[in-house]
Amino acid sequence: MPELPEVETTRAGLAPHVLGRRITGVVLRRPDLRWPIPDEVGAMLPGRRIEAIRRRAKYLLLDTDAGSALLHLGMSGSLRVLGPDVPVRAHDHVDLSLDSGQVLRFNDPRRFGCLLWQPLGETHALLRDLGPEPLDDSFDGDHLFLASRGRRAPVKTFLMDQRIVVGVGNIYAAEALFAAGISPLREAGRISRERYTRLAAEVKRILAHAIGRGGTTLRDFISPDGAPGYFEQELTAYGRGGQPCPNCGTTLRSALVGQRATVWCPRCQH
Ligand SMILES: [Zn+2]
C-alpha cells in the first residue's frame, strides 16, 4: 500500500510533468473508483491549467483556478505520465491529457483509490478533520503530549489516528516506537512529554529518510510499464516478529494492537 513517503515521491515525480500544463481532455473509463467520480471532474478540468500539485496526508491535489482534483491511491493505485500513444492496460481508469502531449494516467486494480472534486476556497470533507503533517513544525512532542492526555488507547493506535497526526501508517508507527524505545501497548495518556519528544523526532527522521530514498526511484513513477516503485524498507521491527531484536537479541514479540499486526522488543521498548 502506498504510504506517505510513496505519495510524496509521486507528487515530486509528477510535478515537473504537470505543473503549468493545461488539461486538454479528461477520459473516465468508469463512473466510480471507491466512490463515484463527481461530474465536476469531467466538466471543470478541461481547459484549466494545473497551478500546483500538493499533498495533504496521503491525498494529492491538482489545483486549478476552478478548484482541485483530489486523488487518493488507495491500496494499489499509481499515477504515471505517459506519451500519447501508450496503449491502455487493465485498470487504467482515468486519463488527463495535457497540452504537452503527455497523459497523466491513473491505474488502480483494487479501486480503493478515489478521484473527487474540491471547489475553490473549500476544504473537502475528507481533509477537514486531519491532524498536522508529521514533517511540519506544528507536529512535535508537545503536540503528542497534549493530545494524548486522558487517552487510554495504546500509543500505537493513538499515533496512527489521522486526527492526531497524518500519514503514520502501520509500518512507520512500529519503526518509530521501536526507535524511541516505547512499547506500542503503553497507554497513550501515560507517556511523558520527554518520551513524546523523542517519538516525534523518530517519526520525522524515519519518514524523511524514506522520502529521501524515494528520490532515487522517481523514474519508476513515470515509466510506462513498470509497477510503481514502492520503497524497499529497511525495517528493524515491522514484520520481524519471532526474530532477534537488532539491538539486544531478545526475541521480538508480535500481537494485534487495534486490529493491526504489531511487533516490538519486550526488553528495549517499555
Ligand atoms: Zn531489544
Side-chain angles (χ1 to χ4, degrees), residues 2-3 20 23 44 51 77-78 80 83 109-110 114 166 169-170 173 185-186 218 227 231 251 253-254 261:
E3 294 286 348
I23 297 169
M44 304 293 268
E51 296 176 340
S78 62
R80 293 166 301 151
R110 296 182 64 184
C114 67
V166 300
N170 201 31
L185 308 177
R186 182 165 286 276
L218 281 187
F231 309 146
T251 301
R253 292 177 61 179
S254 60

Side-chain angles (χ1 to χ4, degrees), residues 84-102:
D85 302 322
V86 176
V88 171
R89 299 181 310 175
H91 316 298
D92 282 341
H93 302 308
V94 178
D95 283 357
L96 302 184
S97 300
L98 307 174
D99 63 359
S100 59
Q102 291 184 303

Side-chain angles (χ1 to χ4, degrees), residues 9-23 50 53 62 79-83 96-105 218-223:
T9 300
T10 298
R11 187 201 64 74
L14 294 178
H17 301 273
V18 304
L19 264 184
R21 291 297 172 191
R22 202 169 290 281
I23 297 169
I50 299 174
I53 176 168
L62 294 174
L79 284 162
R80 293 166 301 151
V81 177
L82 305 169
L96 302 184
S97 300
L98 307 174
D99 63 359
S100 59
Q102 291 184 303
V103 174
L104 176 60
R105 184 165 286 170
L218 281 187
R219 254 187 332 222
D220 296 339
F221 288 87
I222 55 172
S223 115

Side-chain angles (χ1 to χ4, degrees), residues 136-258:
D136 281 0
D137 290 343
S138 58
F139 173 70
D140 59 12
D142 282 354
H143 170 74
L144 288 176
F145 178 75
L146 294 171
S148 62
R149 293 310 90 184
R151 298 238 185 181
R152 305 195 61 182
V155 62
K156 178 160 176 274
T157 306
F158 170 75
L159 190 61
M160 291 175 64
D161 183 339
Q162 300 298 298
R163 294 164 296 186
I164 302 301
V165 56
V166 300
V168 184
N170 201 31
I171 295 172
Y172 295 107
E175 293 297 304
L177 288 164
F178 179 83
I182 298 172
S183 165
L185 308 177
R186 182 165 286 276
E187 238 177 68
R190 303 192 57 172
I191 294 173
S192 69
R193 192 184 291 262
E194 289 69 25
R195 299 190 84 199
Y196 271 129
T197 298
R198 172 86 188 276
L199 180 59
E202 294 295 353
V203 167
K204 288 175 192 281
R205 182 184 64 78
I206 288 166
L207 288 173
H209 180 71
I211 292 168
R213 282 176 52 86
T216 63
T217 61
L218 281 187
R219 254 187 332 222
D220 296 339
F221 288 87
I222 55 172
S223 115
D225 37 38
Y230 301 142
F231 309 146
E232 201 179 299
Q233 305 283 348
E234 301 156 354
L235 301 175
T236 51
Y238 180 85
R240 298 188 72 245
Q243 298 179 39
C245 168
N247 286 349
C248 74
T250 301
T251 301
L252 295 172
R253 292 177 61 179
S254 60
L256 290 179
V257 176

